[in-house]
Amino acid sequence: VQKPIRNYDVGELRRLDLAHHLPAQSDYKLQRELGGSRIITRAEGCTITDAEGKSLLDGMAGLWCVNVGYGRDELARVAYEQMLELPYYNTFFKTATPPPVRLAAKIAEKMQASNPALTHVFFNSSGSEANDTIFRLVRHYWALKGQPKRKIFISRKNAYHGSTVAGASLGGMTFMHEQGDLPIPGVEHVLQPYQFGEGFGEDPDAFATRVANSIEERILGVGAENVAAFIGEPVQGAGGVIIPPDSYWPKVEAICRKYGILLICDEVICGFGRLGHWFGHQHWGIKPDLIAMAKGLSSGYLPISAVGVSSEIVNTLVEHGGDFVHGYTYSGHPTCCAVALANIEIMENEDLIERTRTVTGPYLAKVLKRLENHPLVGEARSIGLIGAVEIVSEPGTNKRFTGKEGTAGPIVRDLCIKNGLMVRGIRDSLVMCPPLIITEAEIDRLVDILHQSLNEAE
Ligand code: PLP
């Protein structure tokens, strides 16, 4: 396929960006100071290129999503053919189209590999919407079960569950709560399993117990009869790639079961291979009642998200209610679903999940670990193809630079970008989440650039 290489007038685009465009999750003062955004114009494999011709290794897979890498003409072709046949139709009039039906069955197959109870799938366009759907579905479920008081969601501090009112409320980022007077009532935030930051030097199992117990304490504090569900990302992504100790998730699951509350896994980042499994929770062998998924579901080629739902919830809806008055114009969008299905087929055909678990994931872990010899690195951790580097002021500690806490990540990130690598700086850490097609040679380059940029920051 001949791919277009267009020339853009960078000056004009940056001028229009400043004059008319409010980019999402951005600092608009900084946008002005920088004279507009960096304009990315094309990408291939694991490499993105900007309008000025600078290429960067994409250590973030876009925004934790381009799992199969860029430039997949088979996905473009599927979208083109679906648009010619039926670009759009909805599910509001007792109707469905082939792509969402087939995609739901495919997702059910992946969920049921470890948990046969997860039978059904509800579609939306974004991860935030998936969590909004869960918010309403769960409360509706408990009302239908005759327990309408069960309304409270327990989540973690520093969790990210999206940007909508419900998503940002479920999330535990206080700087997000400050904008828009959030969280809405009915969301409780408990400790996060951030061992490096909040359990440094503590025995991992003792730390996991302490953190999981904060859930039980909160359940008892608000009254178990008022709690609807616990929600968590298997690995917190935007919070700084927080990988819990191994015994954390089984303990959380046991607490949920003890009090009869639903367990929700937000798999928006961890799903579709990121941790070397179809879903991140499968790494710990737990069985959630609901799953939110997005991003890797279509590798970001088109916007789509989904909610995986257990048969118990579906049967309750059918037997006690019937209707669920919730959904979006683009729920089950045929073109998005067709592309997502083809994306999953690429992952299957190229064994990307298995490769992440057995080859590239362990390789990233091995080379990243070497960074722990660097005097600025307190920890370099990863699982599958997602990882983080903690920047510290004294080797062997978790001490940050006094008076500059929270700034080291963005400083080193800017150096990485200058040196040809796109990563994200989150407070005092750098996080990475490359496409699952990344090669060992590209992983070497990623870690070399991290190393070089840390040297330049010293
Ligand atoms: N949940 C998690 C775990 C996420 O990481 C994100 C986005 O980064 C979301 C939800 C929200 O997804 P979206 O940005 O598609 O609304």
Side-chain angles (χ1 to χ4, degrees):
V1 183
Q2 192 62 37
K3 291 185 182 161
I5 297 192
R6 288 189 275 257
N7 287 320
Y8 293 93
D9 180 339
V10 191
E12 187 204 15
L13 287 169
R14 282 164 69 89
R15 188 176 57 71
L16 294 175
D17 181 57
L18 275 181
H20 305 294
H21 183 210
L22 295 174
Q25 293 274 12
S26 288
D27 177 338
Y28 302 133
K29 193 162 158 236
L30 191 61
Q31 184 193 13
R32 285 204 184 168
E33 281 165 15
L34 296 174
S37 310
R38 178 195 291 272
I39 311 289
I40 305 296
T41 53
R42 61 198 154 85
E44 188 66 37
C46 294
T47 303
I48 53 173
T49 303
D50 72 16
E52 279 154 297
K54 183 178 168 71
S55 287
L56 300 156
L57 178 61
D58 187 4
M60 280 306 296
L63 194 53
W64 330 81
C65 58
V66 187
N67 287 11
V68 299
Y70 298 94
R72 294 285 191 161
D73 46 290
E74 54 270 58
L75 297 185
R77 199 171 316 116
V78 164
Y80 176 77
E81 284 168 9
Q82 184 62 46
M83 282 192 189
L84 289 180
E85 188 184 23
L86 178 69
Y88 170 79
Y89 203 72
N90 60 74
T91 60
F92 281 52
F93 308 128
K94 298 195 247 337
T95 48
T97 62
V101 173
R102 292 222 170 87
L103 180 60
K106 176 59 91 178
I107 294 172
E109 174 197 314
K110 302 300 180 197
M111 298 190 298
Q112 292 186 307
S114 61
N115 185 2
L118 291 168
T119 51
H120 282 72
V121 179
F122 186 103
F123 291 112
N124 332 259
S125 303
S126 68
S128 303
E129 285 172 315
N131 286 325
D132 275 51
T133 294
I134 286 174
F135 196 90
R136 292 193 63 205
L137 180 59
V138 163
R139 285 188 169 179
H140 182 48
Y141 162 79
W142 283 121
L144 291 177
K145 293 276 283 185
Q147 300 184 53
K149 278 169 61 189
R150 282 198 185 260
K151 284 195 180 135
I152 293 175
F153 286 77
I154 298 182
S155 171
R156 280 95 53 91
K157 293 182 174 140
N158 198 33
Y160 189 75
H161 297 299
S163 243
T164 50
V165 170
S169 295
L170 289 170
M173 295 184 171
T174 45
F175 59 89
M176 288 188 75
H177 294 162
E178 281 160 16
Q179 300 181 354
D181 197 13
L182 303 176
I184 51 175
V187 185
E188 297 281 328
H189 297 98
V190 298
L191 296 179
Q192 57 173 334
Y194 180 23
Q195 176 119 40
F196 184 80
E198 295 168 12
F200 193 74
E202 204 171 330
D203 168 70
D205 186 56
F207 175 66
T209 303
R210 178 163 74 80
V211 177
N213 282 352
S214 77
I215 302 170
E216 184 162 23
E217 283 155 21
R218 193 63 62 92
I219 292 171
L220 296 173
V222 298
E225 69 283 7
N226 299 314
V227 180
F230 172 83
I231 182 168
E233 307 151 74
V235 168
Q236 278 157 267
V241 182
I242 290 159
I243 305 168
D246 273 342
S247 59
Y248 173 77
W249 275 113
K251 287 181 203 288
V252 172
E253 182 180 46
I255 292 168
C256 289
R257 298 298 166 236
K258 182 171 170 192
Y259 296 99
I261 71 178
L262 297 174
L263 174 58
I264 306 162
C265 283
D266 182 341
E267 295 269 4
V268 168
I269 288 178
C270 297
F272 299 96
R274 185 53 56 192
L275 308 190
H277 299 267
W278 282 98
F279 296 104
H281 69 266
Q282 292 167 339
H283 177 85
W284 289 280
I286 58 167
K287 292 187 163 47
D289 301 290
L290 292 134
I291 303 175
M293 57 194 100
K295 296 193 188 270
L297 168 57
S298 66
S299 287
Y301 276 67
L302 282 176
I304 179 168
S305 70
V307 176
V309 189
S310 71
S311 53
E312 150 65 17
I313 295 173
V314 176
N315 291 340
T316 301
L317 287 181
V318 173
E319 285 156 22
H320 297 279
D323 60 340
F324 180 38
V325 283
H326 175 88
Y328 312 97
T329 302
Y330 301 130
S331 287
H333 192 291
T335 308
C336 300
C337 289
V339 167
L341 196 54
N343 169 65
I344 292 174
E345 282 163 9
I346 291 177
M347 291 189 187
E348 289 174 339
N349 294 339
E350 299 181 8
D351 249 351
L352 287 181
I353 313 289
E354 177 74 10
R355 189 169 163 269
T356 301
R357 187 172 64 252
T358 60
V359 182
T360 43
Y363 188 73
L364 175 67
K366 186 176 87 181
V367 291
L368 203 58
K369 220 48 194 165
R370 293 190 198 131
L371 287 181
E372 289 187 352
N373 297 324
H374 194 284
L376 286 181
V377 175
E379 182 176 81
R381 59 175 178 266
S382 68
I383 178 170
L385 284 171
I386 187 167
V389 174
E390 297 276 2
I391 301 166
V392 293
S393 59
E394 272 176 54
T397 72
N398 69 349
K399 286 196 188 137
R400 311 302 189 180
F401 287 92
T402 317
K404 294 187 195 157
E405 290 86 354
T407 60
I411 290 170
V412 184
R413 172 208 59 203
D414 286 347
L415 292 166
C416 288
I417 293 173
K418 173 182 78 68
N419 293 327
L421 171 68
M422 182 59 86
V423 284
R424 193 159 163 190
I426 298 178
R427 297 184 310 279
D428 291 296
S429 66
L430 292 165
V431 300
M432 71 218 71
C433 178
L436 303 185
I437 55 156
I438 194 166
T439 62
E440 295 186 11
E442 285 169 323
I443 291 174
D444 285 338
R445 186 146 60 87
L446 187 155
V447 176
D448 284 348
I449 298 177
L450 287 175
H451 193 260
Q452 179 192 346
S453 307
L454 286 161
N455 283 345
E456 290 173 17
E458 271 186 295

